[in-house]
Amino acid sequence: MRDTNTHGKRADSRFSRLSLVIALSASALSASALLSVAGVAHAAPAKDPLPADIPDYQAALDAVKSTDVRNAVCRFLRTPLPTGSGADGPVQTLPETTEPCQGLPLFTIKDPVARNEITPGFVAGTAKPLPTEAVKLTQLVSSLSVTVNGRNATVMLAPTQGGGWHLAAIRDGDGDATYAGKATLGTLVFTEPQIRGWYQLKLTTVEPLNDEARQGLGGQASVSLSDYQNLVKARYADKLPGSQYDVNGYSSGYSTQRKPDGASSSPLLLAGGSSAALALAGGAALLHRRRRPATG
């Protein structure tokens, strides 16, 4: 049985955090923006028992507490780390087992938190430097309550068409969930996935949370949201879908300083199909050329 009082307080905190960031950042830019954004924020029920900034949150809770997701995590934890180099390494198919969690230490999967990313419009420069237009919720992430055999894992949920959430992948380590959970009252946390950078947005000020983000800001301790938009526009605006970069077949991220193949790889357990078939692959986000099927 969930502690409804504790969960309600946590939900109110998440709602207040998002509302405060939106209202204050809008106020910093213009009074008219404040009125329009505050109107939207106040339209949401202030005492909603679930986070107002995460749609269908109960479905997300049900997913991470389900037997299917727990079994998937256990299969992941039982699989040795791959020895291949990054995304080009071998893919391992995980066999189905009747009791995948048998013999493993007891663990729980924490409540999921929002994983926000910068939006294409913000990168292209067509969106205003406002929190509501600069970042969007793309996934939910959860980590484990304890390490299991010296490992942790991040459960990644993706939105299901028509509503709800489903298991998208399980990643080794708990970095995404740790950084995403750093959002506080009056701040938003988001990622620039192309360089694995994590940032905190305070009013209209962007601050780095990890080394990749600090490199992305050129070593600066903070920049305005408008200046940050100029930085990502310079990095990616010519690489968006439909650009010559995309047409030429390049994908899978961008690195401000290329590392050796596999240096930043993160084992990723992909879940797909109704039979929950699982595959293990490297998750490096370095720049590489996408292979296209031969034609003619």
Side-chain angles (χ1 to χ4, degrees), residues 131-156:
T132 49
E133 298 191 37
V135 300
K136 67 176 180 179
L137 174 65
T138 58
Q139 291 178 319
L140 301 182
V141 289
S142 307
S143 59
L144 308 185
S145 58
V146 296
T147 57
V148 178
N149 296 339
R151 294 173 63 185
N152 209 316
T154 296
V155 175
M156 310 179 78

Side-chain angles (χ1 to χ4, degrees), residues 35 103 109 153 169 198 275:
L35 292 175
I109 303 174
W198 282 92
S275 62

Side-chain angles (χ1 to χ4, degrees), residues 263-286:
S264 296
S265 63
S266 175
L268 189 67
L269 182 70
L270 306 176
S274 58
S275 62
L278 304 173
L280 188 67
L286 298 177

